[in-house]
Amino acid sequence: MSATLGVGIIGCGNISAAYLRLAPSFRGIEVRACADIDPKAAEARAKEFGVRAETVEGLLAARDIDIVVNLTVPAVHYEVSAKVLDAGKHVYSEKPFVLSLDEGRDLADRAARNGLQVGSAPDTFLGGAHQFARHVIEQGMVGRITGGTCHVLSPGMEHWHPNPDFFFKPGGGPILDLGPYYISNLVQLIGPVKRVAAMSSVPSPQRKITSEPRNGEMIDVETPTTVHAILEFENGALITLGASWDVKAHGHRPMELYGTEASLIVPDPNFFGGKVELIGPGGEARDLPEWEHPLGVPNQEHGQGRMANYRTAGLADMAVGIMENRPYRCSLELALHVVDVMTAILHSGEQGQFITLTTSCAQPAALGVDEAAALLQP
């Protein structure tokens, strides 16, 4: 098999620029074409990044495309991924993978019938900070994880996104939009979830867009925008997850894990980098070993400083996994379990009862320093 798999992108919105910009940093993949239901959007991205523009049908038929990256809106993730698999190509989807377990299981069946592979974002848990947290846990420095908290709280998306409507429709909301980052990282750090309980609400039935070019337009909210959940993991840990787009300000850390020996402060799993802290029983900060992970090195301007952004790491790991016939970390199994967790949270919020999950998964393999370096171009 070739040492490089050809990649095509369907969906040329905001996120496509990050994939097109960062993909050349990784081995095993080469983005060759992009497509969109709006031909002008595809042509603009193609010109910007030196790839060719295709129709969706043309991209699916292209012989030089092995993997299609699905960057469409969440409501059509399943439909587009199904078409990709039926066209005989591997598919890697942006998050959320799909909006229901039935959709995910159908994609799994299609892939199995055609001998194809499926992967899904997020891949931020492969970042240097989160792999360092994994290393600290596996070295026994935290002890057994027994509990923790996660918080992803903000005023919402209508203040900055040019077209924020889909965030507030079925398939949107903070759980399906941001939950994948937090839940995927929790699973890679401490294992799969056993059952969940949640409460949810819609504090503002309408939201006003204050971003341009649609400043002043109103959006009807059709999905919960405040959700508080408890996740019971198979190892017995209990994690509280608070997700809301109705919070003007707060003082919570993104993720705290409590162990029998110490507490671990994990940075925002929406990003690849950040500071990991280990705090002892008396509140004292404990020294951590040096850790120079390739996917934690700042490589992009962000605000007044720089940040680590290695989006497409999961796609590259999938491509290399396919070529080397080994498991890859942003797997169908993990994505399906995360969908199970998220939809169970939403159903629990509606029904007011505990929901036991019907899926499980193995923890993704750790991505150590050497493994991460091997994914990057020399």
Side-chain angles (χ1 to χ4, degrees), residues 20-93:
L20 285 156
R21 180 172 59 83
L22 292 164
S25 301
F26 293 90
R27 73 180 187 91
I29 55 173
E30 179 181 66
V31 180
R32 295 171 178 164
C34 62
D36 195 279
I37 56 173
D38 178 1
K40 291 183 178 179
E43 290 164 6
R45 278 286 185 253
K47 183 177 180 180
E48 183 181 1
F49 289 97
V51 300
R52 73 177 188 272
E54 291 268 14
T55 63
V56 172
E57 294 73 17
L59 188 144
L60 293 179
R63 297 184 65 181
D64 65 339
I65 301 300
D66 304 294
I67 303 177
V68 174
V69 180
N70 182 356
L71 303 184
T72 58
V73 296
V76 296
H77 277 183
Y78 162 72
E79 176 186 345
V80 171
S81 291
K83 288 181 179 179
V84 173
L85 293 169
D86 290 346
K89 300 185 187 301
H90 309 293
V91 65
Y92 181 90
S93 178

Side-chain angles (χ1 to χ4, degrees), residues 350-362:
E350 294 169 358
Q351 300 168 12
Q353 61 185 21
F354 281 93
I355 294 183
T356 298
L357 303 184
T358 59
T359 67
S360 186
C361 70

Side-chain angles (χ1 to χ4, degrees), residues 15 17-18 50 72 150 159 162 211 234-235 259 308 323 333 367:
I15 196 64
T72 58
C150 294
H159 312 291
S211 60
E234 289 184 6
N235 76 340
M323 291 186 286
E333 179 191 38
L367 185 71

Side-chain angles (χ1 to χ4, degrees), residues 118-190:
V118 177
S120 180
D123 57 2
T124 45
F125 71 85
L126 301 177
H130 307 296
Q131 290 303 307
F132 184 37
R134 172 82 173 259
H135 176 74
V136 169
I137 291 170
E138 292 184 344
Q139 291 298 305
M141 300 175 73
V142 185
R144 180 172 55 88
I145 303 294
T146 60
T149 61
C150 294
H151 291 97
V152 52
L153 312 171
S154 78
M157 311 298 196
E158 68 272 31
H159 312 291
W160 62 269
H161 198 285
N163 292 293
D165 310 63
F166 72 92
F167 289 113
F168 302 100
K169 304 300 180 185
I175 289 296
L176 288 172
D177 183 60
L178 296 168
Y181 297 107
Y182 287 74
I183 296 166
S184 296
N185 202 32
L186 287 171
V187 172
Q188 80 98 10
L189 290 173
I190 59 179

Side-chain angles (χ1 to χ4, degrees), residues 18 76 98 109 129 136 177 227 229 257 276 290 304 308 311 319 341 352:
V76 296
V98 287
D109 290 342
V136 169
D177 183 60
V227 180
L257 298 179
V276 177
E290 292 294 323
Q304 301 300 311
R311 192 180 296 269
V341 175

Side-chain angles (χ1 to χ4, degrees), residues 152-158 167-169 172-175 178 199-207 219-228 242-247 346:
V152 52
L153 312 171
S154 78
M157 311 298 196
E158 68 272 31
F167 289 113
F168 302 100
K169 304 300 180 185
I175 289 296
L178 296 168
M199 298 183 72
S200 60
S201 67
V202 182
S204 299
Q206 285 193 319
R207 317 272 292 219
I219 304 171
D220 290 328
V221 179
E222 301 174 29
T223 192
T225 52
T226 289
V227 180
H228 293 279
S244 177
W245 288 337
D246 301 291
V247 175
L346 294 175

